[in-house]
Amino acid sequence: MSAVACLILAAGKGTRMKSDRPKVMHEIAGRSMLGHVVAAAQALAPERIAVVVGPGMEAVAKSVAPVPTVVQPEQKGTGDAVRAALPAIEGFGGDVIVLFGDTPLLTTATLERLVAARRAAGDPAVVVLGMRPADPLQYGRLVLTGDGGLDRIVEYSEASDFERQIGLCNAGIMTFDGRRLPELIAALQANNAKGEFFLTDTVEAARARGWACSVVEGDPDEVLGINSRVELADAEAILQDRLRRRAMLDGATLIDPKTVWLSVDTKLGRDVVVGPSTFFGPGVTVEDGVEILGFSHIEGATIRTGARIGPFARLRPVTVVGEGAHIGNFVELKAADLAAGAKANHLTYLGDVSVGAKTNIGAGTIISNYDGYNKFRTSIGAEVFVGSDSVLVAPVTVGDRSNIAAGSVITRDVAPDALAIGRARQEDKPGWAPGYREKKKAEKAERERKAGREREKG
């Protein structure tokens, strides 16, 4: 969509979050609130985009880079924030959308509707996003003209009893004719109890100049602003429902959808089956026909076609599970690359390792990849059998088709087709056990006699 600019207001401190982090940096579905808003805006391919931050909010600026930021020196209201951002759109004559960094559920489709309304017949100077919440609480009310245009925005505290009965409320998001926006901002005055410049007053300024204003109605859930951790959880629940529904409509089966947690960038292929209580962190791609059993935790991983994961598996970032591979219960992978058909079915840690095709990793195997200072990588070839309870001390290379005896500690490279045994030699003592049992019985009897004598003395 051409000739669009987006200004995202993110300078609020969010004191009700009771957090050392800026409010807009709190996450839902694996992405910051501000990140969601930026993504929705960028989907419009805007010619200009800028995020308004407050002093000392370098972390926020860094999180949106390379999107430019401008600093609002003092918190003097939404109108003042847009005034601070005007240099970022100087000379721009298209449509300017003003968004808020704490409305992460807003969709690009709604922004497109706002722009379409701004370009509609009547040439409105301002288009406001409205909503009809079930409980309007203390939202500002949108008062319409007789022909359905927007006459004014009335704050709840200043509304008459009649105006408070209006169900159409201000959602905050606004779109402006960029040619007229500077004049509207210049007309704002801080003649209110807070001493702030309210962006909503641009409607009154536009009407005073004979310019039309209009309203686009949106879903109240979409414009849910987040000011507390309770509201953050509410927004998470709404977004999770959206993501689950999209995944199922795209061909994945979620056996118990309410217990599956997705990130906004989770990709699930066709005929993927996801068991209960499974969590997907950011950066996960699951190809077609994969089965993920319950209570698995996956982030930053790619799972190839036909693989089987879990239950109770943990896949950490930079992990690739190959086609048809099996990762079983209580297996953890980190920076691991498993080729097609490889298996690690039980109680295993594979970190910083490459595993070849059709290799079997026995229960209790550990890659000892860290010496307390540095991480080292291990390479295990194809069709290798690693016996249970083995430790591979990185860096080592295990050749194709070799065999690691159970209980071994491997500290040197293993040649292809070799058998490696790294454990103490077993020693048997025939007939030893009966004598040992008799000795222990005698010791127990003596302890009991001694205890009896002590009781008699007492």
Side-chain angles (χ1 to χ4, degrees):
M1 181 175 288
S2 62
V4 172
C6 296
L7 302 178
I8 303 172
L9 310 188
K13 297 178 181 178
T15 54
R16 286 198 293 169
M17 295 294 287
K18 296 183 178 179
S19 173
D20 293 332
R21 300 172 64 192
K23 177 175 71 169
V24 295
M25 294 292 288
H26 286 262
E27 296 182 351
I28 66 170
R31 178 184 288 170
S32 72
M33 287 193 273
L34 179 57
H36 283 280
V37 180
V38 169
Q42 286 181 321
L44 296 173
E47 290 186 15
R48 310 269 187 98
I49 184 170
V51 176
V52 180
V53 300
M57 297 180 72
E58 290 80 9
V60 176
K62 183 178 180 180
S63 75
V64 298
V67 172
T69 54
V70 295
V71 177
Q72 180 187 10
E74 298 181 71
Q75 311 298 287
K76 292 184 177 181
T78 52
D80 181 64
V82 173
R83 180 183 287 113
L86 287 179
I89 57 170
E90 185 176 2
F92 180 77
D95 299 308
V96 179
I97 309 174
V98 178
L99 306 98
F100 294 86
D102 64 351
T103 56
L105 302 180
L106 190 67
T107 65
T108 302
T110 293
L111 300 182
E112 290 172 340
R113 290 174 59 216
L114 284 168
V115 173
R118 224 300 305 157
R119 298 175 180 177
D123 189 30
V126 185
V127 178
V128 176
L129 182 62
M131 60 178 176
R132 296 183 184 272
D135 185 354
L137 299 171
Q138 296 190 10
Y139 288 108
R141 301 308 201 263
L142 302 183
V143 181
L144 304 183
T145 62
D147 60 1
L150 177 61
D151 183 58
R152 64 189 186 277
I153 301 175
V154 182
E155 296 301 325
Y156 181 86
S157 60
E158 300 177 5
S160 66
D161 290 340
F162 175 78
E163 289 167 336
R164 290 180 180 182
Q165 299 306 309
I166 296 173
L168 186 59
C169 298
N170 177 31
I173 314 301
M174 304 174 75
T175 300
F176 296 88
D177 176 2
R179 297 165 298 175
R180 291 178 275 186
L181 177 59
E183 182 177 343
L184 295 176
I185 294 298
L188 296 179
Q189 297 182 20
N191 53 358
N192 52 69
K194 292 185 176 182
E196 295 183 352
F197 298 91
F198 295 146
L199 191 62
T200 51
D201 289 343
T202 55
V203 173
E204 180 181 351
R207 296 287 291 162
R209 288 160 174 74
W211 299 336
C213 300
S214 64
V215 175
V216 169
E217 288 196 36
D219 182 347
D221 283 348
E222 244 187 82
V223 292
L224 177 67
I226 297 172
N227 295 297
S228 69
R229 294 179 194 261
V230 173
E231 292 171 345
L232 185 70
D234 291 340
E236 180 80 58
I238 292 168
L239 184 52
Q240 287 299 327
D241 282 342
R242 283 187 193 173
L243 297 174
R244 294 162 185 150
R245 180 176 177 81
R246 185 180 70 188
M248 291 186 286
L249 290 175
D250 286 345
T253 294
L254 310 184
I255 293 175
D256 187 5
K258 286 291 185 183
T259 68
V260 175
W261 291 82
L262 303 165
S263 287
V264 68
D265 63 349
T266 302
K267 297 180 178 65
L268 302 181
R270 292 166 63 94
D271 297 315
V272 169
V273 178
V274 181
S277 299
T278 296
F279 178 88
F280 294 92
V284 175
T285 297
V286 182
E287 295 182 354
D288 297 347
V290 170
E291 182 179 13
I292 300 174
L293 302 181
F295 298 92
S296 293
H297 190 287
I298 304 168
E299 55 184 325
T302 298
I303 304 173
R304 302 295 186 196
T305 301
R308 188 171 187 267
I309 308 296
F312 297 96
R314 184 182 182 195
L315 276 58
R316 293 166 59 190
V318 202
T319 286
V320 178
V321 178
E323 184 173 345
H326 288 184
I327 301 300
N329 46 286
F330 303 103
V331 174
E332 179 179 355
L333 276 62
K334 190 273 293 183
D337 190 342
L338 274 69
K343 296 180 180 180
N345 281 323
H346 324 278
L347 303 160
T348 291
Y349 171 68
L350 300 176
D352 298 291
V353 64
S354 299
V355 179
K358 298 182 181 180
T359 284
N360 186 86
I361 307 294
T365 295
I366 294 173
I367 303 297
S368 181
N369 58 327
Y370 182 52
D371 67 356
Y373 299 93
N374 298 294
K375 298 287 181 68
F376 299 94
R377 194 159 185 89
T378 291
S379 177
I380 303 174
E383 299 181 44
V384 173
F385 181 86
V386 179
S388 296
D389 203 27
S390 294
V391 178
L392 281 65
V393 182
V396 292
T397 298
V398 179
D400 295 343
R401 301 172 305 281
S402 59
N403 216 311
I404 306 296
S408 292
V409 177
I410 302 300
T411 59
R412 299 193 304 268
D413 291 351
V414 178
D417 297 303
L419 168 64
I421 304 174
R423 62 192 183 205
R425 183 179 299 275
Q426 181 174 323
E427 180 181 350
D428 293 340
K429 296 183 177 181
W432 175 87
Y436 181 77
R437 288 195 294 270
E438 291 301 321
K439 176 183 176 183
K440 290 300 178 182
K441 288 179 182 178
E443 290 174 351
K444 181 180 179 182
E446 179 58 29
R447 287 196 301 272
E448 291 174 349
R449 286 193 295 270
K450 183 177 180 180
R453 289 194 297 267
E454 292 296 329
R455 284 194 298 271
E456 289 175 1
K457 291 178 181 179

